[in-house]
Amino acid sequence: MNPTNFLTELKRRNVYRAAVAYGVVAWFLTQLTTQVFPFFEIPNSAVRFVVIALAVGFPIAMLLAWLYEFTPEGIVRTEYLHPGQARSIQHATGRILDFIIIGALLLVIAMLIVGRLPFYQQTGESIVQKSIAVLPFENRSEDKANAYFADGIQDEILTKLAGIGDLKVISRSSTAKYKSKPEDLKTVARELGIGTVLEGSVQRVGDRVRINVQLLDARVDTHLWAKSYDRELKDVFAVESEVAQEIADTLRAKLSPSQSDALATAPTRDTEAYDLFLKGEYEEHQAESTLNAELFDRAQTLYRQALGRDGNFALAYARLAYSELYRHWFVSNLTSAELANVKPAIERALAIAPVSPDAHLALALFYYWGYRDYDAGLSELDRVSELQPSSSTSRYYRAAIYRRRGEWQGALAEFERAAELDPRNSQIPTEIGSTYINLRRWSDAEHALTRALALDPHNALAARFLAVTYINSTGDIRRARQAFEGVPTENKISVASAWGSISVMVDERVYLDALEKKFADALKAWDVASSNTPEARLRQLEARVGIHVLAGQGAAAKSECEQTRALLEARLAERPGDRMSLIALAWVYVCLGRNTDAIHVAEQAADSLPIEKDAVAGNFFLAGLAEIEANTGKPEEAVKILRQLIRAPAGQVISIARLKIDPVWDPIRNNPGFQKLLSESEAETVHK
């Protein structure tokens, strides 16, 4: 057929108009489904089905437009029409299609106009309107040491709001990044994904306190209301409740009876106990951000002093237990007896306040961090989410538990949900990045960790994981060093629960020198302990022993190894299940030539926490066993473990690129099995 005739025939048969009408209607249906389906919680798969169906339907619709016309007798094939009838039907059909096109366009315009009106934007905008960030309260007291008090008032109001299910409340760790009165509220709203902001100031003079608060629509930077409270200190609890209630009323948030009760409940009636508690909270926040053992101890002392004033202070019991568990997991493990002693404080808190979200959170972490009882931990986290719907913390720990169980996709999904309520907390993208590392999804890991460092350039864990990403993906030591450039040397980059491999024992920042065989530089980094505490001194000795063994200097360092052995064996006599000490002792035995003993204690550490029990830490201890076997004349056993790990989601500890450059594997580098492992494609070993 002549191209000109073909185009004329397309026009005659109204195919052009049919295409335009189909496109407009398809666009309308796509917009309708994407806006309405989420409102009724219809799965995204249904939206995808509609889009695919519309795409598949287009060529079918065009074919039908080519083949058929509408007549008074019904739908007939076009070629069966005589010329006069065809012209008449063409005109009528064209009018019908024009009407469809104009009608569809009017609907689209109406959607665009109405979509800008407040009453229409219920599915998306109502969520933004019922969302709030409580910014740090300004301390206007002459005594600047009262900063803890202003922080505490802000924290308590935020906590009360977080218990309202109809509100989206941004976590403290995200709002803490901002000033008390930021200059650009619209930017704050965009970055936090919220509609309203609460600003405030606190001035304390003796037993009196003045609290000024103002609620603003952050999207247009306008006041919704402002109020001042000049009260006695003993009335501060009523002020916190009033502020939270007025915010809920202004945002038209619906409260259940239990949520209304929670707003009105005061944590204690003893103002001195409350003051001690707020000081403890201030120290606790500092301790968690620095992982400083002394700050944890100070916080716990203040919590106990508060409890000494008020033995029914449930929140103080819960926070004391939380602090002890946090220190146990991230700084120094408790003994079995010490861990068991944490439980009574949680039980006491729950006996006093059965619906305390903080008490249920402490119990969840007691099960998780204390005993890796994941089911019990998840059950308690469910309760926390019920009692405090805007708790990003419960979602964060749920993600962490899923990851320990090897449920990687579930973990990533929960971390993303936590980020919605805590969008400026750099720790969440840090954990997302570390999860991607395990899965060997290197580019995804780099993206998440780069974002974490953009939020907090001093985030030592994010820098550590980014360095691991560069080393384990391509063996790029130069970029790994660059990852640490913004992180102060005193910032801790490993935690008590992440030990197992020698790189963590030595410190992964220092281990970069070992990767380049610069052992003298690595030893120099550990010339001085981080503090004068016995734990810091032992940490220094452990790292130096590891470096000496890697450098082949075990004989020369015998006296240092003997000193470390005595300290570790004494520690294990007190803490028989301390896996970190077992791995460190294994390296000491390698240094002293006690290979059989080295393998025995390394096996003990790995067997005590198998991958089936902990899909994250289990990899570290199994890799630690392989490292010991490689350095004690057991190459076949080491290669067997490596082959298992290289095919598992264990990208933090083992990758082909890392095996090629890590000196810990030098003793078996010429082993045929090891060489064969190096020749395998990384793509074949990635966990899907």
Side-chain angles (χ1 to χ4, degrees), residues 403-409 434-442 611 614-620 643-655 685-688:
R403 188 170 57 185
R404 298 278 167 178
R405 297 204 304 194
E407 299 172 15
W408 306 98
Q409 298 307 319
S434 72
T435 304
Y436 282 134
I437 293 174
N438 276 308
L439 298 175
R440 298 188 178 89
R441 291 172 56 176
W442 309 119
I611 294 174
D614 189 326
V616 179
N619 291 326
F620 279 95
R643 189 169 297 281
Q644 174 187 345
L645 290 172
I646 207 71
R647 293 174 177 170
Q652 278 199 50
V653 289
I654 296 295
S655 72
T685 63
V686 175
H687 179 75
K688 301 299 184 183

Side-chain angles (χ1 to χ4, degrees), residues 376-505:
L378 287 172
S379 177
E380 289 300 319
L381 290 174
D382 284 343
R383 188 69 177 124
V384 175
S385 295
E386 292 172 8
L387 295 168
Q388 205 169 59
S390 284
S391 170
S392 66
T393 305
S394 63
R395 291 164 175 80
Y396 177 89
Y397 288 129
R398 177 184 297 280
I401 289 178
Y402 283 155
R403 188 170 57 185
R404 298 278 167 178
R405 297 204 304 194
E407 299 172 15
W408 306 98
Q409 298 307 319
L412 289 169
E414 284 295 329
F415 278 132
E416 293 290 354
R417 292 188 184 99
E420 293 174 8
L421 295 169
D422 204 355
R424 306 293 290 176
N425 181 356
S426 70
Q427 195 55 41
I428 296 175
T430 297
E431 295 302 333
I432 291 173
S434 72
T435 304
Y436 282 134
I437 293 174
N438 276 308
L439 298 175
R440 298 188 178 89
R441 291 172 56 176
W442 309 119
S443 60
D444 290 331
E446 181 181 7
H447 175 77
L449 295 166
T450 301
R451 168 162 173 73
L453 287 168
L455 291 172
D456 180 7
H458 302 312
N459 184 329
L461 284 176
R464 169 201 170 193
F465 288 134
L466 185 58
V468 170
T469 300
Y470 292 141
I471 294 295
N472 291 13
S473 61
T474 61
D476 193 334
I477 300 173
R478 180 186 62 82
R479 293 189 75 189
R481 289 191 185 280
Q482 290 175 346
F484 286 115
E485 285 181 353
V487 180
T489 55
E490 64 271 15
N491 281 27
K492 193 167 184 177
I493 64 168
S494 63
V495 297
S497 58
W499 274 49
S501 66
I502 192 170
S503 62
V504 181
M505 186 178 87

Side-chain angles (χ1 to χ4, degrees), residues 207-239:
D207 289 333
R208 295 200 66 82
V209 60
R210 174 184 288 273
I211 300 174
N212 299 309
V213 289
Q214 55 181 351
L215 187 68
L216 302 105
D217 186 328
R219 296 164 298 175
V220 291
D221 198 358
T222 57
H223 283 75
L224 297 177
W225 59 261
K227 199 165 185 178
S228 293
Y229 301 86
D230 193 352
R231 305 284 180 85
E232 293 183 13
L233 189 59
K234 63 183 176 64
D235 295 326
V236 71
F237 310 116
V239 172

Side-chain angles (χ1 to χ4, degrees), residues 184-406:
D184 188 355
L185 271 183
K186 292 180 181 179
T187 298
V188 173
R190 186 183 69 254
E191 290 178 345
L192 295 178
I194 45 89
T196 53
V197 159
L198 184 73
E199 296 179 348
S201 64
V202 178
Q203 184 177 13
R204 181 180 175 183
V205 180
D207 289 333
R208 295 200 66 82
V209 60
R210 174 184 288 273
I211 300 174
N212 299 309
V213 289
Q214 55 181 351
L215 187 68
L216 302 105
D217 186 328
R219 296 164 298 175
V220 291
D221 198 358
T222 57
H223 283 75
L224 297 177
W225 59 261
K227 199 165 185 178
S228 293
Y229 301 86
D230 193 352
R231 305 284 180 85
E232 293 183 13
L233 189 59
K234 63 183 176 64
D235 295 326
V236 71
F237 310 116
V239 172
E240 293 167 348
S241 296
E242 285 179 39
V243 171
Q245 184 65 61
E246 191 146 3
I247 291 171
D249 293 342
T250 302
L251 300 183
R252 299 181 180 178
K254 299 176 183 176
L255 277 71
S256 67
S258 61
Q259 290 171 357
S260 296
D261 290 343
L263 280 191
T265 301
T268 178
R269 293 298 176 186
D270 189 308
T271 55
E272 188 170 337
Y274 189 61
D275 194 61
L276 289 165
F277 172 79
L278 293 184
K279 289 178 180 177
E281 288 286 90
Y282 189 81
E283 297 290 344
E284 178 67 18
H285 293 319
Q286 300 299 314
E288 291 176 18
S289 64
T290 61
L291 298 182
N292 185 301
E294 294 178 5
L295 290 175
F296 279 110
D297 292 341
R298 278 156 50 179
Q300 290 164 28
T301 297
L302 288 162
Y303 290 141
R304 290 190 177 94
Q305 289 175 354
L307 290 167
R309 291 279 312 179
D310 180 0
N312 291 317
F313 198 164
L315 184 57
Y317 279 115
R319 294 294 293 165
L320 171 61
Y322 181 89
S323 177
E324 291 174 324
L325 291 165
Y326 205 102
R327 190 185 192 280
H328 159 75
W329 188 256
F330 289 103
V331 180
S332 179
N333 293 152
L334 298 171
T335 65
S336 297
E338 289 170 337
L339 187 59
N341 286 335
V342 175
K343 186 76 177 290
I346 301 173
E347 292 173 337
R348 178 64 176 152
L350 287 170
I352 300 167
V355 294
S356 164
D358 290 273
H360 284 283
L361 177 62
L363 186 56
L365 295 179
F366 177 78
Y367 289 131
Y368 168 29
W369 284 345
Y371 299 97
R372 287 180 168 84
D373 185 344
Y374 303 135
D375 290 342
L378 287 172
S379 177
E380 289 300 319
L381 290 174
D382 284 343
R383 188 69 177 124
V384 175
S385 295
E386 292 172 8
L387 295 168
Q388 205 169 59
S390 284
S391 170
S392 66
T393 305
S394 63
R395 291 164 175 80
Y396 177 89
Y397 288 129
R398 177 184 297 280
I401 289 178
Y402 283 155
R403 188 170 57 185
R404 298 278 167 178
R405 297 204 304 194

